Amino acid sequence: MSPDGNNMAWVRNEFGKNILFLKDLQTGKQKRIMRIGRKLPTFNDMSYPVLTWHPNGELLLYVDEYKSRLRLNYYNIKDGSVQRKFLDQVQKVMSLSVSPDGKNIAMIALKDGRTDLFLFSNIANSFQALTHDEWDESDPSWMPDGERIVFSSNRVGDSLLVPGKTPMLPSHAHDLFLIKPFLRDEVV
């Protein structure tokens, strides 16, 4: 659902193809934005596309895979145009959230066999790892102030320890943690 409540986007699987739809809730008009996958009896990655809305409600962001490369797509719901950026710094994106000012994207992505929290700058097209450890992160969401990100993790404490120096095995339970991405400290 778009932030203004006027549009809805969803993905439907039809015979191995994931199809992204957009519906204008005021007019009832529905259209297909994109489709990925093959109608072949092969394995299709059902985890793409990953969707989120820009806070202005006019851009639907989605991550898909194109020729074995990850793409971040900015679909303009007003004119149907799409701007794309490749995300070559990570192997897979699981979830993402756009900051309230639209300048940054928090994402959970896979890199070097680990799921970590990353910050992507829309303006600078730069990536920054906010976590890099043995623990698993998921479901980032910006706080309304745009200064903090809440995320779920199976980490056992509130500290960002030195990579490779994990003192305990990860927990199976996930808790919620806050991080200030623009003021780096060792506590989440």
Side-chain angles (χ1 to χ4, degrees):
M1 184 73 64
S2 64
D4 59 13
N6 293 330
N7 294 282
M8 182 172 60
W10 71 94
V11 177
R12 184 171 66 206
N13 181 278
E14 292 181 2
F15 306 107
K17 286 186 170 268
N18 285 342
I19 304 171
L20 175 57
F21 290 95
L22 178 68
K23 183 174 185 175
D24 184 322
L25 297 176
Q26 295 176 333
T27 66
K29 291 183 181 179
Q30 174 179 313
K31 64 180 170 178
R32 183 184 74 206
I33 295 175
M34 59 81 68
R35 65 179 162 196
I36 56 175
R38 299 181 189 153
K39 286 188 176 181
L40 298 174
T42 61
F43 174 75
N44 288 319
D45 190 348
M46 305 301 247
S47 63
Y48 287 121
V50 178
L51 312 176
T52 193
W53 286 93
H54 190 280
N56 68 13
E58 295 178 5
L59 293 173
L60 174 63
L61 282 67
Y62 62 94
V63 175
D64 67 357
E65 199 172 64
Y66 179 76
K67 295 185 178 180
S68 299
R69 293 177 72 192
L70 292 181
R71 281 191 311 196
L72 176 59
N73 303 274
Y74 299 77
Y75 179 83
N76 186 314
I77 65 169
K78 300 262 188 222
D79 63 16
S81 64
V82 181
Q83 293 182 3
R84 295 181 169 100
K85 298 178 182 183
F86 284 99
L87 304 175
D88 294 325
Q89 301 88 340
V90 294
Q91 288 88 38
K92 187 169 189 64
V93 173
M94 278 67 129
S95 56
L96 57 155
S97 175
V98 181
S99 63
D101 64 6
K103 294 179 181 177
N104 295 288
I105 301 172
M107 62 178 68
I108 302 300
L110 181 69
K111 183 174 182 177
D112 301 327
R114 298 178 178 155
T115 56
D116 285 304
L117 176 63
F118 293 86
L119 184 67
F120 179 75
S121 169
N122 276 323
I123 297 168
N125 290 329
S126 63
F127 253 92
Q128 177 186 0
L130 299 178
T131 63
H132 182 72
D133 50 40
E134 304 298 324
W135 293 293
D136 295 319
E137 280 75 46
S138 64
D139 306 313
S141 185
W142 287 89
M143 299 299 289
D145 63 10
E147 297 293 322
R148 299 169 294 163
I149 301 167
V150 63
F151 65 98
S152 175
S153 178
N154 64 343
R155 59 187 60 247
V156 293
D158 64 357
S159 296
L160 296 175
L161 300 174
V162 178
K165 304 269 185 177
T166 306
M168 297 177 241
L169 293 175
S171 167
H172 292 292
H174 277 241
D175 285 320
L176 295 178
F177 297 87
L178 278 173
I179 191 169
K180 296 178 182 178
F182 309 113
L183 176 64
R184 293 306 309 266
D185 56 22
E186 298 294 320
V187 178
V188 291

